[in-house]
Amino acid sequence: METAIRWSAVSSAPPHHFVLVDLLGHKVKLNEVTSDRGEDLEYRQLSQHSKFPEFRAFDWCPSNEALLAIGLPSGTTTVLKIDEDANESFSFPIKNQRYCNAVAFNTQGLLAGGLEKVRNDFCLNIWDVNQRLSSPDTDSGRPQVEPVRKLCTSEAVSSIRFFVDQPDTLIAGVGRQFLRIYDLRDYPGNAAIQFPTRRVNNLAIDPLDQNYFASAGPQGDPTVCIWDRRFTSTSNAVMSPSGTGSAELGQSRPVLEFRNAIDTSNVSASPSIWSLRFARAKKGSLGILSSTGELKVFEISKKSVHLSTGPNRDSSPPGGNFTEEPYVRRIRNVQRPYYDPFRKQEPTSRVVSFDFTFANDAVEGYQCMGLRANGQIQILRLKPPPPPVSFSSQGELFLGRNETPKTNSATPLESNMVSSKGFTVYGLDRSKRFSIVDKFRNINSGPQYSESTPEISNISGGGISKEITAPKYRSSREAHEALYSFTPQIFKMSNPAALYPGTVMRCRCDGGYLFDCEKNQKIVSENPWLQEMWAWIGGMDELAEDKATTYEMMDFSFLGVHAIWHNTLGPNPEARKIPSDGNPHTRYTDAIIALRMQLECPRFEGIKTRYPDHRQVCLAICGWGQSEQRLKTIIQQLVRQGKHTKAAAWALFHNQTNLAVTALTRPTATESHKLLAMGIAAYNNVGGFRRDPNDEAWTTLCRDIADSLDDPYSRAILALVSNGDWKSVIAEMSLPLRDRLGVALKFLNDEELTKFIDSETSNSIRAGDIEGIVLTGLTSQAMDLFQNYIAKYNDVQTAVLAMSYTNPTYVSDWRFWHWREYYRDAINSWKLHIHRVRFDVQSTKKSENWDDGVRIPPPPRQITLRCIHCNGAFAKEDEEADVSATGGSASSAVPAGEQPGELKSYTLGGPGASAGTICPKCGRHLPRCGVCMMWLGTPDVSTPGGAAAVENEDPMTRFLTFCLSCNHGYHSNHARDWFAVHKVCPVADCQCLCAEHR
């Protein structure tokens, strides 16, 4: 190192000073910082000292900026006065000349000098600088000043540092194999604390936590160690004044050790550690500089660890039963080596010296200055880490940002921010967290489009700017994706919207989102696609409950159009009880015919086909298998709801043209609806639609009007009347899939229908489109669809609830169990344990099979009440099973006095047995209530008088309640009344705060 730079430990407030030390030029310059806002540090020189010989070490006095000590090759320690250009100095010579390796000041005027090894002489001398400052200014004629303390006989000292919190205590690297802490207030014969190690160079003490200090290895060793002065083993802590002695068992080790603290990949550069410095403005930040210009900052944090688990459990703790365990929180690369292939630079531009400043950076809280080999001095600012982003278990989004928050911000996001450690944490007001779904209820991007105007409706809900022009129309799938996906170009996310993915799932669960399909439709009212899915599942569930989808031994429950059309029951047909006798294809066809009759579906009316019954059953699955009278009722309901175009389209799809015209000309219809009805009536004929092939004007007019509409049913009607081709309706992608599928089932031939069903099924699975449930059903194909749905929308909740209707009764897929456990864990993390229990119970009931047995076994009993005398369970069960359940022998379940291998059956009677206050195994009393001091117990209704005892009584009155901390028991109503007023256990002499453990 040819030059070095040091920041003043005195000038913590402006003006800031630093020294520039030129080892080759024999100059020391004291400078004042004028500006550190830019990359280059701006400063002016205050003074310069240049009349001194070559030196090997230096240190700047932490309490007096005018003093700087240097260690000469002769061993003399010289103090330079650098506050003015007088070039004054005074020295502390030694008898036996050798290299001075290290010098160090303390805050009270003591100066330590570390020397090379020489026989029978001290190598660590401590002088009092205050004595020389009070003497004449020259060294001529002055008697030699003796050190106030002499240490380390015949042992080389390579590095020295004083502790700031204990100025009379120093640490030194001794003999190239020990770190020793000396207390100068002790007598010379007292012991020193010693750490055996070869890393004794470049000592550095954390100024903000003096318990920790760092040391580096010798030349060529890239290891850095972090030590804690509080943790030393007694076996090697006591040493002789000379430091002799060998290390014994229980040696102290570093709390952290960085084996490769610097980059050593370029062997030709001979990298080695040049400097270690702790930050002055941020605790635990250690900077490491190598000879290649690499500068790293290790940010060290600490956590509390119990002594039974900590690595230093054999050491003396700093207090209590816990100790500090440091760890590296982050490593920051301030400067790369000059040979770095991605940031190549000349060796003359590498950093050769650095020091941390007192100046606080707004983001990191600290910064450093660096001296490059070309003499340039710069401020080296650490690049900020990525801002933290995290969701809480309750669905709250916490964002951090690396800038000072603006005080005049009025946005909802910034109104709830909390400043913490340089970051701004955004939280959601808990009183408003359940209103997030309301932000999405007004999004007009689902199947329910505006019908009042043929103009394009801009999406205007959930924070999307109304000034942005929406696309002319979207497909039904794209509209569903738009409900979740808002691109930054058209959407600025507000705080509630940002929390939507995590919070909505919790809100739905808390609102009762489970297996009540009608209730689920209300809960997901902001999402019409989910409403349609739950409506379909609810209808299929009703049919399954009524056995309407079962023929003989074949179960068609929850099958989709794809399975029905292809004569299959899925990959696990055994679960649906397929008979083995006869032709499977013939029996399947017979079953479809019977199924159509069971569903009371009319005969198929449409294109000529070989599979009319298959088509009619598939139409029923789509919701299209109604009779003419039922169709009229549905259309009237749609008209009353204001959905005129949907009512007209449905009537048109069922060849009820007059009914379609009527739906569009009701008094509640608009002028646009009436114009649409005029077009249908003008182009209608009794036998169907007629069209002149040369009439391009009509086709163009219909197409232009359709392009200006965003209502899918209006577009479908115009597509049909423009050319009379039903394929134009099927190709209208904005139309819901169920309606396009219904049209295909009625008007495509068998080959075209097969291709359409296969294509749409594959596309729906690949896109995770829940509209495809009508095609896949709740089968194994639906598992593939939901896998992509979860990946796209992060809604595992809906997937688990939907597939619980068929898993594991009809479908066995390991993915379902992973999703199910994930959802259960999520409910528990939301503290909605009652909802999790309801989910467990109801999903278990859903898994009933043909034999009325459940496929999901109930969870094992988690709590068992046992007698404190015989260890027998109070529950009525076989004694041998009870013994095996405890994992013990038979003798552990019998009272004292019985033979160990003998099980005896007791016949207990009397009032105690009826009241349930005695153990049914050994006949001894249960504990007493801590409030009323009466025997605990619940009457057994199966015993004489048991039912009468609880006939007019609250069942919770005698329920047993226990404190898991002190193990005292109470009647439930007594515990409720007592702990409503008190917190302490009612049992005398028990100081347990039972109420705090609830």
Side-chain angles (χ1 to χ4, degrees):
M1 184 184 299
E2 300 175 353
T3 53
I5 196 169
R6 289 292 181 271
W7 190 268
S8 173
V10 178
S11 59
S12 57
H16 299 294
H17 296 163
F18 68 93
V19 293
L20 182 61
V21 181
D22 186 356
L23 279 73
L24 296 181
H26 302 172
K27 295 179 182 180
V28 176
K29 299 178 181 179
L30 178 63
N31 306 289
E32 179 180 303
V33 177
T34 58
S35 176
D36 61 350
R37 296 182 179 179
E39 182 179 355
D40 293 334
L41 184 67
E42 298 180 9
Y43 61 94
R44 66 183 183 90
Q45 181 175 316
L46 299 179
S47 62
Q48 176 176 302
H49 196 296
S50 58
K51 291 186 178 181
F52 55 86
E54 180 184 354
F55 61 94
R56 293 172 54 89
F58 76 95
D59 189 38
W60 198 5
C61 183
S63 58
N64 188 349
E65 287 185 347
L67 303 180
L68 185 142
I70 59 175
L72 306 183
S74 62
T76 300
T77 302
T78 301
V79 178
L80 309 179
K81 294 183 178 181
I82 60 174
D83 58 341
E84 54 187 24
D85 295 331
N87 290 334
E88 296 181 356
S89 64
F90 55 88
S91 301
F92 298 98
I94 59 173
K95 295 181 180 178
N96 299 317
Q97 293 189 3
R98 68 266 198 192
Y99 286 128
C100 180
N101 296 326
V103 292
F105 277 106
N106 77 346
T107 57
Q108 296 181 348
L110 294 182
L111 174 62
L115 307 172
E116 274 292 339
K117 175 181 177 181
V118 70
R119 180 176 295 184
N120 299 328
D121 197 0
F122 296 98
C123 297
L124 179 57
N125 297 318
I126 314 297
W127 289 280
D128 189 353
V129 178
N130 296 321
Q131 295 179 1
R132 294 299 305 269
L133 291 176
S134 60
S135 302
D137 296 335
T138 61
D139 292 329
S140 59
R142 181 186 308 279
Q144 184 172 351
V145 178
E146 288 294 326
V148 295
R149 289 292 300 272
K150 296 181 179 181
L151 303 168
C152 300
T153 305
S154 303
E155 290 181 303
V157 176
S158 55
S159 184
I160 313 169
R161 282 292 179 269
F162 279 94
F163 291 96
V164 177
D165 60 343
Q166 300 178 18
D168 292 318
T169 305
L170 63 84
I171 182 170
V174 180
R176 296 180 177 84
Q177 55 184 345
F178 297 108
L179 289 176
R180 255 184 234 143
I181 298 179
Y182 292 97
D183 192 338
L184 303 181
R185 296 167 295 183
D186 293 338
Y187 291 103
N190 285 1
I193 297 176
Q194 180 167 279
F195 301 85
T197 179
R198 295 179 60 250
R199 285 88 191 189
V200 297
N201 298 325
N202 293 304
L203 283 171
I205 302 174
D206 190 348
L208 302 180
D209 190 350
Q210 299 275 312
N211 292 316
Y212 293 94
F213 57 92
S215 64
Q219 181 77 18
D221 186 356
T223 305
V224 174
C225 298
I226 308 295
W227 307 84
D228 190 339
R229 66 180 178 182
R230 296 168 295 180
F231 293 106
T232 55
S233 50
T234 46
S235 62
N236 67 345
V238 179
M239 306 295 293
S240 65
S242 62
T244 59
S246 60
E248 302 175 5
L249 294 177
Q251 294 179 349
S252 298
R253 295 184 178 181
V255 293
L256 286 176
E257 185 175 18
F258 312 135
R259 294 293 180 90
N260 293 288
I262 60 175
D263 181 72
T264 58
S265 58
N266 192 336
V267 180
S268 60
S270 301
S272 61
I273 297 175
W274 269 7
S275 178
L276 301 181
R277 309 291 292 179
F278 274 99
R280 292 184 170 92
K282 189 171 185 179
K283 182 188 296 186
S285 296
L286 173 64
I288 302 176
L289 177 66
S290 73
S291 58
T292 60
E294 181 184 15
L295 177 57
K296 288 183 178 179
V297 176
F298 288 73
E299 295 183 0
I300 303 170
S301 296
K302 298 179 286 292
K303 60 182 178 182
S304 297
V305 179
H306 197 273
L307 288 179
S308 61
T309 58
N312 298 313
R313 53 182 176 267
D314 297 331
S315 304
S316 300
N321 295 324
F322 291 84
T323 184
E324 293 179 349
E325 181 176 305
Y327 65 95
V328 178
R329 184 167 62 93
R330 187 165 52 226
I331 301 177
R332 315 293 295 278
N333 289 296
V334 184
Q335 292 287 310
R336 298 283 185 177
Y338 69 86
Y339 55 77
D340 186 82
F342 300 101
R343 296 178 178 84
K344 290 185 177 181
Q345 55 182 336
E346 296 295 329
T348 55
S349 62
R350 75 186 193 278
V351 176
V352 295
S353 182
F354 84 104
D355 198 6
F356 288 98
T357 69
F358 276 111
N360 289 335
D361 185 85
V363 176
E364 288 299 311
Y366 67 102
Q367 61 186 23
C368 60
M369 64 175 181
L371 173 64
R372 300 191 180 274
N374 55 16
Q376 185 181 15
I377 302 176
Q378 292 182 327
I379 293 295
L380 304 176
R381 293 181 174 87
L382 281 73
K383 295 181 180 179
V389 178
S390 178
F391 269 101
S392 73
S393 61
Q394 297 185 357
E396 295 172 321
L397 177 66
F398 291 88
L399 304 175
R401 66 178 186 184
N402 300 323
E403 59 183 13
T404 304
K406 298 179 181 179
T407 57
N408 59 351
S409 175
T411 63
L413 186 64
E414 296 182 355
S415 62
N416 297 315
M417 34 184 206
V418 180
S419 180
S420 175
K421 296 184 179 180
F423 293 104
T424 301
V425 180
Y426 296 92
L428 177 66
D429 187 356
R430 292 181 181 271
S431 63
K432 300 178 181 179
R433 66 170 176 242
F434 293 106
S435 64
I436 296 169
V437 180
D438 298 334
K439 300 292 183 179
F440 289 81
R441 295 190 187 275
N442 297 326
I443 296 181
N444 184 23
S445 59
Q448 300 175 354
Y449 293 87
S450 174
E451 302 174 354
S452 60
T453 174
E455 297 177 357
I456 301 170
S457 299
N458 290 339
I459 299 176
S460 58
I464 298 182
S465 174
K466 295 182 180 180
E467 299 177 359
I468 303 299
T469 301
K472 289 185 176 181
Y473 66 92
R474 292 189 178 100
S475 67
S476 180
R477 182 180 302 160
E478 291 171 343
H480 187 200
E481 294 172 351
L483 184 64
Y484 295 89
S485 305
F486 299 112
T487 58
Q489 289 77 11
I490 66 172
F491 180 63
K492 182 178 181 181
M493 185 172 288
S494 62
N495 187 32
L499 299 180
Y500 175 75
T503 306
V504 166
M505 205 155 59
R506 184 185 189 280
C507 296
R508 289 174 178 171
C509 180
D510 199 20
Y513 194 53
L514 202 57
F515 298 110
D516 186 343
C517 294
E518 292 186 2
K519 186 176 183 179
N520 289 351
Q521 293 179 64
K522 297 177 181 178
I523 293 174
V524 299
S525 58
E526 82 286 352
N527 192 321
W529 291 268
L530 287 180
Q531 283 186 308
E532 291 290 327
M533 185 199 74
W534 283 115
W536 183 84
I537 293 177
M540 297 298 291
D541 190 37
E542 291 180 4
L543 294 176
E545 290 290 338
D546 297 338
K547 305 297 183 181
T549 54
T550 303
Y551 171 70
E552 292 184 351
M553 294 294 289
M554 300 178 69
D555 190 351
F556 295 90
S557 300
F558 300 101
L559 286 181
V561 170
H562 185 274
I564 297 296
W565 182 251
H566 287 283
N567 286 346
T568 179
L569 294 177
N572 189 21
E574 293 79 9
R576 297 181 180 270
K577 301 291 184 180
I578 297 180
S580 58
D581 57 327
N583 188 335
H585 181 78
T586 303
R587 295 193 61 83
Y588 196 102
T589 303
D590 295 341
I592 292 296
I593 297 174
L595 185 62
R596 180 188 65 79
M597 300 177 64
Q598 288 180 189
L599 296 176
E600 299 180 355
C601 297
R603 290 188 176 276
F604 177 74
E605 294 181 0
I607 194 171
K608 185 177 180 181
T609 176
R610 292 177 294 173
Y611 311 105
D613 296 294
H614 285 73
R615 287 182 182 249
Q616 196 61 35
V617 171
C618 291
L619 285 172
I621 293 175
C622 296
W624 278 42
Q626 304 92 356
S627 62
E628 184 176 347
Q629 185 60 37
R630 174 59 179 163
L631 178 63
K632 291 181 179 180
T633 303
I634 293 175
I635 291 175
Q636 291 173 359
Q637 292 177 351
L638 292 174
V639 171
R640 285 194 296 267
Q641 296 173 3
K643 302 177 182 178
H644 297 274
T645 57
K646 183 175 182 180
W650 271 46
L652 204 58
F653 297 160
H654 290 80
N655 290 326
Q656 300 292 331
T657 310
N658 294 331
L659 193 58
V661 174
T662 303
L664 292 172
T665 56
R666 289 298 181 95
T668 56
T670 64
E671 294 298 326
S672 300
H673 296 150
K674 294 177 181 179
L675 291 174
L676 195 60
M678 184 182 299
I680 296 176
Y683 209 74
N684 178 42
N685 192 9
V686 178
F689 290 95
R690 61 185 180 184
R691 172 180 177 270
D692 185 358
N694 299 321
D695 190 3
E696 295 295 337
W698 173 257
T699 303
T700 303
L701 177 62
C702 292
R703 184 184 301 114
D704 292 342
I705 296 175
D707 289 342
S708 65
L709 299 175
D710 64 350
D711 174 40
Y713 293 101
S714 298
R715 294 172 54 83
I717 293 173
L718 290 172
L720 180 61
V721 301
S722 67
N723 55 19
D725 189 357
W726 288 103
K727 294 182 181 179
S728 300
V729 179
I730 298 172
E732 182 51 57
M733 300 302 294
S734 61
L735 202 64
L737 178 59
R738 287 173 65 179
D739 293 331
R740 294 195 298 119
L741 181 58
V743 173
L745 286 167
K746 288 180 68 69
F747 302 108
L748 291 184
N749 61 45
D750 293 341
E751 290 74 14
E752 292 174 338
L753 179 59
T754 301
K755 293 180 181 179
F756 177 80
I757 291 176
D758 293 343
S759 175
E760 289 299 322
T761 303
S762 300
N763 293 336
S764 298
I765 293 175
R766 183 169 54 253
D769 186 1
I770 57 174
E771 284 190 299
I773 290 296
V774 70
L775 285 165
T776 64
L778 297 181
T779 62
S780 58
Q781 288 181 316
M783 290 296 300
D784 299 331
L785 186 150
F786 274 119
Q787 180 176 345
N788 295 322
Y789 172 80
I790 294 172
K792 180 181 290 186
Y793 302 113
N794 196 29
D795 184 11
V796 68
Q797 180 184 41
T798 298
V800 170
L801 295 179
M803 293 307 301
S804 293
Y805 284 86
T806 56
N807 266 284
T809 306
Y810 303 117
V811 181
S812 180
D813 196 305
W814 61 269
R815 291 172 293 183
F816 171 76
W817 300 107
H818 282 277
W819 298 344
R820 187 176 188 272
E821 288 305 310
Y822 173 84
Y823 182 53
R824 294 178 74 254
D825 292 341
I827 301 177
N828 288 330
S829 69
W830 299 330
K831 308 300 182 184
L832 301 177
H833 302 294
I834 298 299
H835 294 276
R836 195 265 306 158
V837 172
R838 290 172 180 165
F839 169 75
D840 287 343
V841 173
Q842 296 188 33
S843 63
T844 300
K845 292 181 179 179
K846 291 291 180 185
S847 67
E848 291 182 358
N849 56 17
W850 283 71
D851 300 328
D852 293 330
V854 294
R855 300 290 184 91
I856 300 178
R861 185 173 58 201
Q862 299 173 344
I863 297 177
T864 301
L865 296 180
R866 297 187 176 275
C867 177
I868 60 176
H869 303 289
C870 68
N871 199 33
F874 292 155
K876 282 191 171 183
E877 54 187 16
D878 184 71
E879 290 187 7
E880 294 184 2
D882 177 60
V883 172
S884 63
T886 62
S889 62
S891 60
S892 64
V894 298
E898 300 292 342
Q899 295 299 323
E902 179 182 358
L903 284 174
K904 184 175 181 180
S905 176
Y906 291 90
T907 303
L908 302 176
S914 300
T917 59
I918 63 174
C919 173
K921 301 295 189 301
C922 66
R924 300 187 184 183
H925 272 291
L926 275 67
R928 294 181 182 270
C929 173
V931 178
C932 68
M933 299 305 297
M934 300 296 291
W935 298 111
L936 293 174
T938 303
D940 187 356
V941 296
S942 63
T943 59
V950 297
E951 183 176 0
N952 298 319
E953 186 179 86
D954 182 3
M956 295 298 294
T957 299
R958 304 190 191 186
F959 195 80
L960 278 65
T961 304
F962 292 91
C963 173
L964 298 180
S965 179
C966 64
N967 296 325
H968 289 133
Y970 328 93
H971 291 113
S972 179
N973 59 334
H974 295 163
R976 181 176 60 249
D977 296 340
W978 174 269
F979 292 114
V981 181
H982 308 280
K983 293 184 178 180
V984 183
C985 178
V987 178
D989 298 330
C990 181
Q991 302 300 321
C992 177
L993 298 176
C994 302
E996 299 295 332
H997 301 300
R998 291 183 296 175

